Amino acid sequence: MCRSNDRSTSDLAAIRLPLPGIVSILHRISGVALFFSLPLLIYLLHGSLSSADAFETYRAVVSHPLMKIVLIGLLWAYLHHFCAGIRFLLLDIHKGLDLQTARATAKTVLAVSLALTVILGVSLW
């Protein structure tokens, strides 16, 4: 018979994921978000290119504040996925594997992706 250990459940609640782990999880989440947003992005591209009337509909849809927030979220997903992907490529060739460098590059990925999102998002709003 297997007994549950009360200490193990309290230890699980106390576990804090390190920053490189958070960047890794966000990389996966952003990839999934980008994949599932492809139909929306293709629809918007089609609407912007097919005809003058469709372009006006496209402009009306894209100018809605909620759609702008969604598109800025997708912009962040793309930028984070891109920056984290470069980080993981460097890790694959065994660059930046030590703990201090891994933490620094994880912070850099978050800072650069958020800064670029703000810069591009403000210019596109």
Side-chain angles (χ1 to χ4, degrees), residues 2 8 11-12 15-16 26 32 38 46 48-49 51 53 56 58 68 77 90 94 107-109 114 116 118 123:
C2 184
S8 66
D11 288 346
L12 287 177
I15 292 175
R16 193 171 139 238
L26 287 175
V32 169
L38 279 175
H46 174 70
S48 70
L49 298 175
S51 69
D53 292 335
E56 289 305 317
Y58 158 80
K68 285 183 179 183
L90 291 172
H94 304 288
K107 287 178 186 176
T108 302
V109 164
L114 288 172
L116 287 174
V118 168
S123 68

Side-chain angles (χ1 to χ4, degrees), residues 27 81-91:
H27 181 73
H81 199 75
F82 180 78
C83 293
I86 291 172
R87 178 180 179 267
F88 290 129
L89 285 174
L90 291 172
L91 291 174

Side-chain angles (χ1 to χ4, degrees), residues 31-64:
V32 169
L34 290 170
F35 176 76
F36 284 114
S37 70
L38 279 175
L40 169 67
L41 296 174
I42 291 170
Y43 166 76
L44 291 174
L45 179 65
H46 174 70
S48 70
L49 298 175
S50 58
S51 69
D53 292 335
F55 181 71
E56 289 305 317
T57 304
Y58 158 80
R59 285 181 54 162
V61 168
V62 172
S63 67
H64 191 276

Side-chain angles (χ1 to χ4, degrees), residues 19 22-23 26 76 80 83 104-116:
L19 190 58
I22 293 170
V23 168
L26 287 175
W76 170 83
H80 177 81
C83 293
T105 58
K107 287 178 186 176
T108 302
V109 164
L110 287 177
V112 168
S113 65
L114 288 172
L116 287 174

Side-chain angles (χ1 to χ4, degrees), residues 92-105:
D92 286 345
I93 60 171
H94 304 288
K95 301 292 183 194
L97 291 177
D98 59 292
L99 185 59
Q100 185 177 4
T101 306
R103 286 180 178 163
T105 58

